[in-house]
Amino acid sequence: MGLPSKRRLIRLWTKQRPDIVHIATEGPLGWSALGAAGTLGIPVVSGFHTNFHNYSQHYGIGWLQAPIHAYLRAFHNRTLLTLAPTRGLRDSLTRSGYRNVEVLARGVDASLFSPTKRDSALRQAWGVGATGLAVIYVGRIAPEKNLGLLSRAFAAIEAVRPDARLILVGDGPALATLRRSQPHHIYCGARIGEDLARHYASADVFLFPSVTETFGNTLTEAMASGLACVSYDYAAAAEHVRHGDNGCKAGLHDESAFIALAQRLAEAPETIKRLGAQARDSSLHLSWDGIHDRLESYYRGLLTTP
């Protein structure tokens, strides 16, 4: 959480004035930027990146959900434009009283995340042979990520594929507890860059049980890596996954359907390959170049608005 710095920002922006301020955090530093930009008459754009209001129920402070949402709404409504990563989130925010919300999608680096990074030595280290099944989760190991469903879905997979292994890539406050309760899983810690790409590509199936995402970058990274993905029908999956064609998705909060999809997929090696290949093809259309152009068009539109 960035510290308040309004005076410093005013001093810096008076010396070298930006055309636009784009705020990506709603904390004290974000408020400082909002205040400083207002004092200097600089247009402000904000990005809605995290469902903080939904996180509260996972940390024993669910009663704060409404106040947090009100805080976020007040913050974003003081900016000229709020950018959300999906159409679904844009519509949800608009219904909740957010004004001037537009979509700025997220891309994926399909040259970094690629099936060509598959590493047989890494699979062997996981205890997965050439015909074994490596199921992977990538993300924070935290309560809001719905890791209980991840464990139940993998248990269903193990029932039909005893040779399957669950690989978890990431770190977070629930890691120690998960290690104690599920010691037979493979915990790889946080990975970045080529190392992360190698972990993705060396798996076969990606499970994405979270219900608190604004987008879910790991889903599109997994798709680009050629994995068959199981997710809920919202956020990135609602935008980019076509059920049965380039992935599998269950209705939001339908845990039984999610588990059933994961289990059926585990029993169908050819389907895993087909979905993974189609997911890779789909990811090639998610270039960052077009997204950068759209962002620039939003900026230019604000600068030319009287």
Side-chain angles (χ1 to χ4, degrees):
M1 183 178 290
L3 298 176
S5 303
K6 182 178 178 180
R7 289 183 180 178
R8 184 182 179 193
L9 291 175
I10 290 175
R11 185 171 67 251
L12 290 171
W13 293 345
T14 299
K15 183 178 179 181
Q16 187 173 1
R17 182 185 176 90
D19 296 302
I20 283 180
V21 171
H22 187 139
I23 302 176
T25 173
E26 301 98 335
L29 181 58
W31 274 106
S32 297
L34 193 57
T39 298
L40 298 173
I42 302 170
V44 179
V45 175
S46 59
F48 195 98
H49 300 291
T50 306
N51 285 318
F52 287 114
H53 52 294
N54 289 339
Y55 280 21
S56 61
Q57 61 186 309
H58 299 283
Y59 290 89
I61 51 172
W63 56 275
L64 282 176
Q65 183 168 355
I68 293 172
H69 205 172
Y71 169 91
L72 294 173
R73 182 171 55 242
F75 180 95
H76 287 281
N77 281 347
R78 288 186 59 184
T79 71
L80 296 177
L81 178 67
T82 295
L83 297 175
T86 68
R87 290 168 294 180
L89 182 58
R90 175 200 60 193
D91 295 345
S92 175
L93 292 175
T94 300
R95 288 193 299 270
S96 297
Y98 289 69
R99 298 188 294 270
N100 303 318
V101 185
E102 296 290 349
V103 176
L104 183 70
R106 295 183 189 171
V108 63
D109 185 346
S111 60
L112 173 61
F113 299 104
S114 166
T116 62
K117 308 295 174 67
R118 195 172 181 87
D119 187 338
S120 58
L122 181 57
R123 286 177 63 87
Q124 289 175 2
W126 292 341
V128 180
T131 60
L133 182 65
V135 179
I136 196 168
Y137 165 84
V138 180
R140 268 173 53 82
I141 312 297
E144 72 273 9
K145 297 301 183 179
N146 205 15
L147 299 179
L149 176 57
L150 176 71
S151 296
R152 292 191 294 276
F154 184 71
I157 289 174
E158 276 189 307
V160 296
R161 287 291 303 268
D163 62 334
R165 296 290 182 271
L166 178 60
I167 295 92
L168 296 100
V169 177
D171 201 351
L175 179 59
T177 301
L178 193 61
R179 277 184 180 273
R180 285 193 299 270
S181 63
Q182 306 284 343
H184 58 293
H185 297 330
I186 298 164
Y187 299 90
C188 301
R191 304 281 171 164
I192 61 172
E194 291 286 342
D195 191 25
L196 174 59
R198 189 169 59 98
H199 279 68
Y200 272 120
S202 299
D204 304 296
V205 172
F206 178 76
L207 297 184
F208 191 60
S210 176
V211 294
T212 58
E213 306 299 318
T214 57
F215 185 76
N217 294 331
T218 58
L219 179 70
T220 50
E221 290 168 357
M223 292 175 68
S225 302
L227 304 188
C229 302
V230 181
S231 61
Y232 279 126
D233 186 13
Y234 91 115
E239 300 281 315
H240 301 302
V241 175
R242 299 182 301 275
H243 179 67
D245 179 33
N246 65 353
C248 298
K249 54 185 182 181
L252 187 58
H253 301 298
D254 189 343
E255 293 196 354
S256 297
F258 185 100
I259 293 170
L261 286 171
Q263 187 178 57
R264 285 200 299 269
L265 188 60
E267 295 180 287
E270 291 305 315
T271 301
I272 290 173
K273 291 180 182 178
R274 177 178 61 80
L275 294 180
Q278 289 292 100
R280 170 64 182 175
D281 287 345
S282 299
S283 75
L284 299 179
H285 302 289
L286 304 179
S287 165
W288 280 107
D289 291 341
I291 294 167
H292 291 158
D293 291 343
R294 187 170 183 82
L295 178 59
E296 184 178 352
S297 73
Y298 283 137
Y299 289 161
R300 292 188 179 280
L302 291 178
L303 292 175
T304 57
T305 300

